[in-house]
Structure formats: C-alpha cells, structure tokens
C-alpha cells in the first residue's frame, strides 16, 4: 500500500483505526505518519456511510482503499459494495468506472465466535462486476493489493487475520516496487501427478502440509492456490484435473453454494469432466455458525487431517 | 401599450396567409418591442437552522435568464408528460418516477451552481439528467431501452449518468454517502467544487444519511445536502413517517435552510448561498426544498389514494413553478405571453422529435449483453442462461 500511495497521489486509505492506531491489525502501520490526514483517514464506526463515501470518491476519480475491520462488518455496507460499486459500470454502459479496493480480514480467526468468523468469498464471488481476490502468502498479499489498487474496477480483497502474523521468504522478484500478481490467474504451488487439490487463502498452507505428509506415502498432490475467486481461473484447474484425474477443493467457508460447489459445477461443464476417475470432493468449514469452545471451533474448520482423509477418499485409498 | 400591440399583432396574424409569416410577423413585432432587461423580485425568507443570516430576500432576474429558465422548466415538464404517455402505451416499462411539479428544483439548483460542480440524486432523476446537460432525445431513448439512450439501454429510468452527474440511483438513501464521497474528492482535489447531494423526504429517515452528515461535518466536506420534500414518501405522508418533519434541522449540527421549492428564484438564491458556504470551507450545509409532485410516486401509483385531488389541484393553480415564473416575467415586462407560447411550440416539437426517435430507435444488439462488466480490461466471455450460451464482454 505504501508503494502505491507513493506512486499515485489519487490513492488514499480510509477505515476504522487505519491512521493513528496504525491499523487494527497493524497492516497500515507507519502510513499515517508518512502521508498524513489527507491520505490516511480514520473513520467513525459507520460502515455503510464510509463505504458509500469511498465509492463516491472513486466515482469522482480518486482511488480509495476502503478497509473493513473484518469482512463481517462489510455486511452493513454490502449494498454500497454491490449496488453502488459493482453494478455501476454496467448500468452506465461504460460511462462510470469505480476504481475502488475493499479490503480486510475475512473468515475464521481464533476464538472470536460466530458473528466474527464468516467467510464472504462465496457472497462476493457471486456478483458480476466485482473482482474478488484471496491471498495466501506474502507474495500473494503484496502482488494482489498492488494489482487491485491499479485495477480500474471494484476489487474485494479477502485477507486472513491468522496469516498476518506468518512470515514468508519473499523472492527477489517480489521485492520490486512494480511487482504485481495478476488478478484472475491461479498458481500451482506444488506440482503433482495423482490428485489436484485446489484452495484459497489460509487453507492453501494446510493443503501443502497434507501434501508433504502424503508424499511420504507415495501420493503426489498438485496443490493449486486460486489467488483469485472472481474471475476464477478454471483453466488452470481443468488442465490439472486432466492430468491427475482427481479433484479435491478446500475452503474455510460454509459448504452450501460455496467456492468448491462452483468449481465442481464448472468441472462438470468443461473438458475435465471426462478425465475424472471419481467425483470431485469438497472440504469446507462445518455447516454451523462458528462455535466458541476450542474443541468445537477446531472441528468447524478444515484441518490437515480432514484434507488428507478427503484426498484418500477421492483416490479410493 | 401592450394592449395596442396585442391588437395590432392579432390583425397581422389574421391577415397572414402562411403560418410561417404569422410567426415571423409576431416575432418582428416582439423584437421591435422593448422589454425590460431585468427586474427585481422579492422572494420568500428561508427558515434558518444554526445560521445567523440566510440567502437574500430580493433578487434580480434578467430577461435572458428568465427565458432560459422558462424553456428548461417547460422542457422538463413536457418531457415528463411525454414519458407518462409512452409508459401508458407500454413503450416505456418497469420503473418510471416523474418529477412534474418539481421543475423549479432541478432548474433552480442548476442555476445556482457551475457546470464544474457535481450533483447526485435518487431515482426521480429525469429532470436533473436534462439540467446537467443531456438531451431529451437520449433521455427518452434510455427510458424506452434503445441503443440511442444515454446508457445505451443498459440502465433505464433510474441509471442515467452525465459529466459531473452521478445518476440516477435506485437504492433509497444510498446516494447520500456517495454524494459525501464526491464532496470528499472535491476537497481532496482542491478546486473549490461542491457536490449537491439530493434525497427525498422518505429517504431522510435512512440511517446512512446520518452517517454521511456526521462524516461530512467532521471532515468539513463541501457537500450540500438537499432534501427534496414533496410531502409523500411513496404513499406515506411526512407526518406518518418522521418524528420531526423539519427536514432542514435534521442535520442537527449542520446548518440548514428551508426553501420554497416551487419558486425558482428562491431555489437559485438558496443554492448560491449554500454553495458559497461550502466554497468558503465552512463544511456541509443542508437545504430543504418544499415542493410537490403532480404524478404519483411512480407510474404504477395513481397518486390519489393517499392524497386528495383537491390538494393536487390547489397546488397546480396556486403554486405551479412554471406559472409563477410566467406571471413574474409577463407582469414585469420581461417577456410577452406570445413569445413564451412560441417557446412552448419549440419545446413541444423538440419533445415530439425526441419521442419519435425513442420509439423508432432499435434496442441494443443482443451481442452487447455482456459488455461493460469491467473497465479497462481485455475482452472475455460471460456466461448466458446455460453453459453453451456465451456473450463476449468488452470494456
């Protein structure tokens, strides 16, 4: 964000605690000190109001980054995201673009209970006119936020609170001020031959762990990091399934009408269906509002053991 | 003098063979007549909230401005009535919210600002779409859903856009935070521009409006909040919807004024006053325009189940904005009845031509169904009703 704020003076950040508090999760640490009140704006607790203000500013030619402290609170503002931002370019037949980024942590955290743990990938991914991205590691986060800010469309960036604290080695190329991760392209994190495992956000890490365990048993998983929910890179997934003949999807969100459901439907419609040796399998969050007690919470999110189990089921092992 | 001229013109008109000649004759007569250049009028004092002074109570109207306002108001009036007609013929479908009766608002507001200022409103937007610079032709063609419409038929009644005009918004109240955001951009860019952010008496009870008031005041945004109070939110009168119907005070810490929305000069002066307030960096201000709509809420609402025909008729006969301007101009030598009638004829023709176009123009091509999903992107495919139907999407 610092690099993009420096590069283009039309870019600014607004949200609760983004300025003087350095960000609720310290994501915007140092920015207010460097750029001041004009470009880093603390808002009152008024999601619908400030999301609307951000969209209006984008319509008038600025490039706002609107932070939701978590995406759970974006529900208060969801009309502005969908009806004012996503649909406007279409309704105006191309006269009125809305170059805005909505970002913040999404999905389950640790012990924050039902109202603070919802995953919005399926909800936002449903809507034409929006782009929806979901970074897993540091390279994803950096490259996707830069692409999102430079994109002339409304982009929803679903970050993950538990991943904020995880360190990754950043490759040389990713350290450049112009490093971008293209929106709409998935990445094969780990090539494999026996099964395609597709995921987004934090669960990508769990899939890689599962792949490491299974490798010792001679099962080589191809792990795909979606990076973008919408527009979905189904071609990368199809090419992989046509190679491995098996598919498991992994997501943190609820199962019904989710990301895995969409992938499965599209696989059925495309060339990869005839290459499947078994039905696609979905690993998801449990179909309950998130409980609080640790044992219940742990069993409401996909764990490495659940992914391994699903992979073996798909492979009929 | 006027009576003599009228008599002479009648004789000449009677004697003329061709209608064109008659027009010419009366125009020649009119041109040779001396009108006043301008006249001074008293206008109603505005109720004030947290303001020591309000807009001036007298104003000067020039002949040129008066004729322009007259033409614009008459155009909006006739355009809306034509839309009513087209809707009843089922050539316009879906939502159609007409603003006849409220012409002094859209024309008066425009008279008080610059083209470089910004304006956003809700769905009763055809009048503003015109005053912000689009033609009747492209507005009617958008209503009829044709490719010549200002949004190529993709938007319809509630989604028309122009330079510095941000619609046309369908969700009640959502346009108000948007307007505050446009005002934020005005302040950010430092060009002394203001944003007029309109909403109705119904929308005035939306929570997001109060969120916008708070942030606009906190950050001193150059936002003029304007409540177009036409006394009814759909079928609910203001008394049944609001614990306080003093809409100009509802901004609490934001100064406000209540304006006679049927008097275009009152609206103009109040707008200039409000714009000056914002441009001076004093932060937001709120204007309540007291106005009236002759039609129901939309074309699906006859508009007489929650108000009496007598009430509507009373407003028409005593407070019609076009009538008020006409009387002022004619009684103060700023224009003649004949020349205003000529303008009417020209306006009618313009509307008729536009309606012809809007009826004859073809619908947008089916191939363009998928266009304009994303801005500035390479072409891609959009799914249709099943997996084999694909539409190309270009920006």
């Amino acid at each position: 964000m610092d690099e993009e704020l420096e590069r283009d003076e039309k870019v600014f950040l607004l949200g609760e605690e983004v300025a003087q508090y350095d960000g609720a999760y310290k994501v915007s640490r140092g920015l207010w000190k460097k750029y001041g009140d004009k470009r880093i704006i603390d808002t009152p607790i008024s999601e619908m109001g400030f999301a609307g203000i951000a969209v209006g500013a984008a319509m008038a030619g600025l490039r706002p980054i609107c932070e939701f402290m978590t995406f759970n609170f974006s529900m208060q503002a969801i009309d502005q995201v969908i009806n004012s931002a996503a649909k406007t370019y279409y309704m105006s037949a191309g006269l009125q673009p809305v170059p805005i980024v909505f970002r913040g942590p999404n999905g389950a955290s640790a012990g924050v209970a039902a109202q603070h743990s919802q995953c919005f990938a399926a909800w936002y991914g449903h809507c034409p006119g929006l782009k929806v991205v979901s970074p897993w590691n540091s390279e994803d986060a950096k490259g996707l936020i830069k692409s999102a800010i430079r994109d002339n469309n409304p982009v929803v960036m679903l970050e993950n609170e538990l991943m904020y604290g995880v360190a990754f080695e950043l490759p040389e190329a990713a350290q450049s001020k112009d490093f971008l991760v293209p929106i709409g392209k998935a990445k094969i994190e780990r090539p494999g031959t026996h099964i395609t495992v597709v995921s987004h956000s934090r669960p990508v890490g769990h899939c890689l762990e599962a792949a490491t365990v299974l490798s010792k048993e001679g099962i080589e998983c191809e792990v795909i990091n979606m990076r973008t929910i919408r527009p979905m890179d189904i071609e990368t997934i199809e090419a992989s399934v046509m190679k491995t003949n098996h598919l498991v999807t992994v997501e943190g969100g609820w199962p019904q009408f989710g990301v895995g459901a969409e992938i499965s439907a599209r696989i059925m419609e495309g060339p990869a269906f005839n290459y499947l040796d078994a039905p696609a399998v979905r690993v998801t969050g449990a179909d309950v509002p998130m409980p609080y007690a640790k044992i219940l919470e742990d069993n409401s999110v996909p764990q490495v053991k659940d992914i391994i189990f699903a992979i073996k089921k798909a492979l009929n092992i | 003098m006027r009576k003599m001229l009228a008599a002479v013109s009648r004789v000449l008109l009677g004697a003329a063979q061709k209608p064109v000649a008659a027009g010419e004759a009366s125009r020649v007569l009119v041109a040779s007549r001396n009108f006043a250049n301008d006249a001074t009028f008293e206008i109603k004092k505005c109720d004030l909230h947290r303001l020591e002074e309000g807009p001036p109570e007298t104003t000067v109207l020039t002949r040129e401005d008066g004729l322009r306002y007259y033409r614009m108001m008459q155009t909006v009036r006739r355009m809306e009535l034509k839309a009513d007609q087209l809707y009843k013929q089922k050539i316009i479908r879906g939502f159609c919210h007409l603003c006849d009766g409220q012409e002094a608002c859209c024309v008066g507001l425009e008279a008080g600002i610059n083209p470089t200022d910004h304006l956003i409103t809700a769905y009763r937007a055809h009048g503003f779409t015109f005053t912000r610079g689009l033609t009747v032709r492209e507005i009617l063609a958008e209503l009829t859903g044709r490719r010549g419409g200002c949004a190529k038929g993709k938007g319809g009644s509630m989604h028309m856009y122009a330079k510095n005009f941000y619609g046309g918004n369908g969700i009640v109240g959502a346009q108000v935070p948007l307007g505050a955001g446009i005002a934020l951009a005005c302040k950010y860019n430092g060009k002394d521009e203001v944003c007029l952010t309109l909403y109705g008496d119904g929308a005035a009870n939306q929570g997001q409006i109060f969120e916008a008031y708070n942030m606009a005041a906190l950050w001193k945004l150059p936002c003029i909040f304007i409540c177009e109070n036409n006394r009814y939110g759909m079928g609910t009168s203001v008394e049944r919807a609001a614990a306080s119907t003093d809409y100009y005070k509802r901004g609490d810490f934001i100064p406000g004024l209540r304006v006679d929305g049927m008097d275009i000069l009152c609206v103009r002066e109040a707008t200039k006053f409000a714009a000056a307030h914002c441009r001076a960096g004093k932060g937001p201000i709120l204007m309540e325009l007291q106005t009236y709509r002759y039609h129901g809420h939309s074309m699906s609402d006859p508009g007489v189940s929650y108000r009496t025909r007598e009430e509507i008729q009373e407003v028409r006969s005593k407070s019609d904005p076009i009538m008020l301007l006409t009387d002022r101009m004619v009684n103060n030598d700023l224009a003649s009845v004949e020349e205003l009638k000529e303008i009417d004829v020209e306006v009618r023709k313009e509307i008729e031509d536009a309606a012809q176009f809007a009826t004859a123009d073809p619908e947008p091509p089916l191939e363009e169904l998928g266009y304009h999903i994303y801005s500035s992107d390479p072409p891609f495919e959009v799914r249709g009703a099943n997996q084999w139907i694909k539409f190309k999407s270009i920006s």
Side-chain angles (χ1 to χ4, degrees), chain A residues 95-108:
Chain A
L95 287 177
Q96 181 63 75
V98 185
I100 189 169
V101 176
F102 297 100
R103 51 158 292 273
N106 174 62

Side-chain angles (χ1 to χ4, degrees), chain B residues 51-80:
Chain B
L51 282 168
E52 291 301 312
E53 286 169 356
E57 286 163 50
T58 63
T59 183
V60 173
L61 174 65
T62 67
R63 173 175 147 79
E64 190 187 331
D65 281 346
L67 289 172
R68 190 176 74 250
Y69 301 157
Y70 179 85
R71 179 183 293 268
M72 285 174 83
M73 288 205 284
Q74 194 66 275
T75 305
V76 173
R77 173 69 56 94
R78 295 263 132 233
M79 177 179 74
E80 296 292 78

Side-chain angles (χ1 to χ4, degrees), chain A residues 195-214 219 221-223 247-252 281-285 301-315 317:
Chain A
I195 184 165
T196 301
V197 183
V198 186
S199 185
H200 73 95
S201 189
R202 185 159 177 263
V204 171
H206 300 319
C207 294
L208 288 168
E209 277 183 59
T212 305
V213 170
L214 288 166
I219 301 168
C221 301
E222 179 146 290
V223 177
L247 174 62
V248 170
T249 69
V250 184
E251 69 199 278
V281 170
R282 297 176 294 163
V283 180
T284 69
V301 298
Q303 302 175 60
V304 177
K305 66 165 174 70
D306 302 318
I307 301 172
I308 292 172
F309 188 91
I311 290 171
K312 287 184 170 174
K313 273 285 191 187
L315 290 169
I317 295 168

Side-chain angles (χ1 to χ4, degrees), chain A residues 9 11-12 38-39 41-44 46 48-50 52-53 55-57 59-60 62 79-80 83-84 88-96 129-131 152-153 269, chain B residues 150-152 154-155 159 161 166 171 174 177-178 180-182 184-185 188-189 206 208 211-212 214-215 218-219 221 369-377 383 387 395:
Chain A
E9 60 178 24
V11 176
F12 71 100
K38 179 180 173 180
R39 315 242 350 247
I41 304 175
D42 275 336
T43 65
S46 307
M48 200 167 183
F50 72 70
I53 282 176
V55 174
M59 289 179 174
L62 297 183
D79 175 66
Q80 296 289 2
N83 280 320
S84 301
T88 294
Y89 192 70
Y90 186 87
M91 292 192 294
S92 67
L95 287 177
Q96 181 63 75
L130 275 188
K131 295 191 182 181
N152 287 336
N153 295 289
E269 292 174 352
Chain B
C150 54
K152 303 187 183 163
K154 300 283 273 292
H159 307 295
Y161 300 81
Y166 304 81
I171 306 296
L178 293 181
I182 295 161
L184 187 146
Y188 196 100
N189 291 329
Q206 271 267 313
Q208 58 186 316
E211 295 188 11
N214 183 40
M215 285 181 272
L218 257 184
W219 303 332
L221 303 180
L369 185 149
Y371 285 15
H372 312 120
I373 295 284
Y374 295 134
S375 167
S376 327
D377 268 19
R383 184 192 167 105
Q387 70 207 60
S395 293

Side-chain angles (χ1 to χ4, degrees), chain A residues 60-268:
Chain A
L62 297 183
R63 303 187 75 90
I65 306 166
C66 176
E67 177 177 304
F68 292 118
M69 197 182 279
T70 77
F71 268 94
N72 300 287
F73 316 134
S74 75
M75 264 207 281
Q76 308 253 296
I78 201 161
D79 175 66
Q80 296 289 2
V81 178
I82 307 301
N83 280 320
S84 301
K87 298 178 184 172
T88 294
Y89 192 70
Y90 186 87
M91 292 192 294
S92 67
L95 287 177
Q96 181 63 75
V98 185
I100 189 169
V101 176
F102 297 100
R103 51 158 292 273
N106 174 62
S109 178
V112 295
Q115 293 178 343
H116 289 75
S117 307
Q118 188 167 332
C119 174
F120 287 83
W123 284 31
Y124 288 119
H126 190 54
C127 301
L130 275 188
K131 295 191 182 181
V132 182
V133 299
S134 181
W136 164 55
N137 63 7
S138 305
E139 187 181 320
D140 291 352
K142 179 178 178 187
L144 286 173
I145 191 69
K146 289 167 78 73
S147 292
I149 292 167
R150 297 187 194 190
D151 201 306
N152 287 336
N153 295 289
V155 181
V156 168
M157 173 132 147
L158 303 170
E159 298 160 13
N160 186 293
E161 195 210 320
L162 298 172
M163 296 308 289
Y164 286 151
V166 178
F168 290 89
E169 188 84 36
L170 205 62
E172 177 92 38
Q175 294 181 35
S176 152
K177 278 190 178 174
D178 284 306
F179 171 69
L180 301 172
V181 164
I183 295 178
K185 199 86 190 72
K187 182 181 179 199
I188 299 177
E189 296 287 350
R190 180 193 193 282
T193 47
H194 297 119
I195 184 165
T196 301
V197 183
V198 186
S199 185
H200 73 95
S201 189
R202 185 159 177 263
V204 171
H206 300 319
C207 294
L208 288 168
E209 277 183 59
T212 305
V213 170
L214 288 166
S215 181
K216 299 194 187 95
E217 298 175 40
I219 301 168
E220 294 305 325
C221 301
E222 179 146 290
V223 177
I224 298 179
N225 172 5
M226 290 175 72
R227 287 177 155 181
T228 299
I229 304 292
R230 182 175 189 117
M232 192 189 292
D233 180 4
I234 195 67
E235 289 80 20
T236 298
I237 303 172
E238 280 173 337
S240 175
V241 170
M242 282 158 79
K243 188 176 73 171
T244 68
N245 313 120
H246 298 85
L247 174 62
V248 170
T249 69
V250 184
E251 69 199 278
W254 292 317
Q256 298 196 36
F257 310 94
V259 176
E262 175 66 17
I263 294 173
S264 303
R266 291 217 211 173
I267 290 292
M268 283 212 284

Side-chain angles (χ1 to χ4, degrees), chain B residues 67-248:
Chain B
L67 289 172
R68 190 176 74 250
Y69 301 157
Y70 179 85
R71 179 183 293 268
M72 285 174 83
M73 288 205 284
Q74 194 66 275
T75 305
V76 173
R77 173 69 56 94
R78 295 263 132 233
M79 177 179 74
E80 296 292 78
L81 294 178
K82 177 57 73 177
D84 167 282
Q85 202 179 61
L86 292 170
Y87 195 93
K88 286 170 176 156
Q89 294 173 278
K90 296 196 199 291
I91 300 171
I92 296 176
R93 48 190 273 279
F95 286 129
C96 192
H97 307 86
L98 301 176
C99 70
D100 50 311
Q102 301 183 203
E103 296 85 356
C105 296
C106 54
V107 179
L109 286 169
E110 190 63 34
I113 54 171
N114 306 320
T116 46
D117 289 317
H118 308 259
L119 193 148
I120 188 170
T121 186
Y123 48 74
R124 199 173 303 283
H126 310 156
F128 292 102
T129 313
F130 174 72
T131 54
R132 281 265 94 187
L134 292 194
T135 63
V136 179
R137 210 169 137 95
E138 11 180 24
I139 295 171
L140 287 183
E142 186 59 36
L143 291 177
T144 56
R146 308 302 166 95
R147 62 182 70 183
C150 54
K152 303 187 183 163
K154 300 283 273 292
S157 170
M158 300 186 294
H159 307 295
M160 303 190 193
Y161 300 81
K163 186 165 192 333
N164 297 341
F165 175 60
Y166 304 81
N169 290 274
I171 306 296
V172 171
Q175 76 279 10
V176 178
L178 293 181
I182 295 161
L184 187 146
C186 289
K187 183 169 179 180
Y188 196 100
N189 291 329
K191 288 196 228 150
D192 280 341
E193 292 163 5
V194 300
C195 181
L196 273 55
T197 301
L198 284 100
Y199 55 97
D201 48 278
N205 301 311
Q206 271 267 313
Q208 58 186 316
I209 292 185
F210 295 89
E211 295 188 11
Y213 288 159
N214 183 40
M215 285 181 272
L218 257 184
W219 303 332
K220 289 195 148 44
L221 303 180
C223 185
I224 306 176
F225 293 103
I226 301 169
C227 178
E228 234 180 331
N229 177 4
N230 60 19
R231 305 196 213 168
Y232 299 94
M234 203 153 136
T236 305
S237 69
V238 293
E239 298 79 35
R240 292 205 303 127
S244 162
T245 56
D246 290 333
Y247 295 101
Y248 70 112

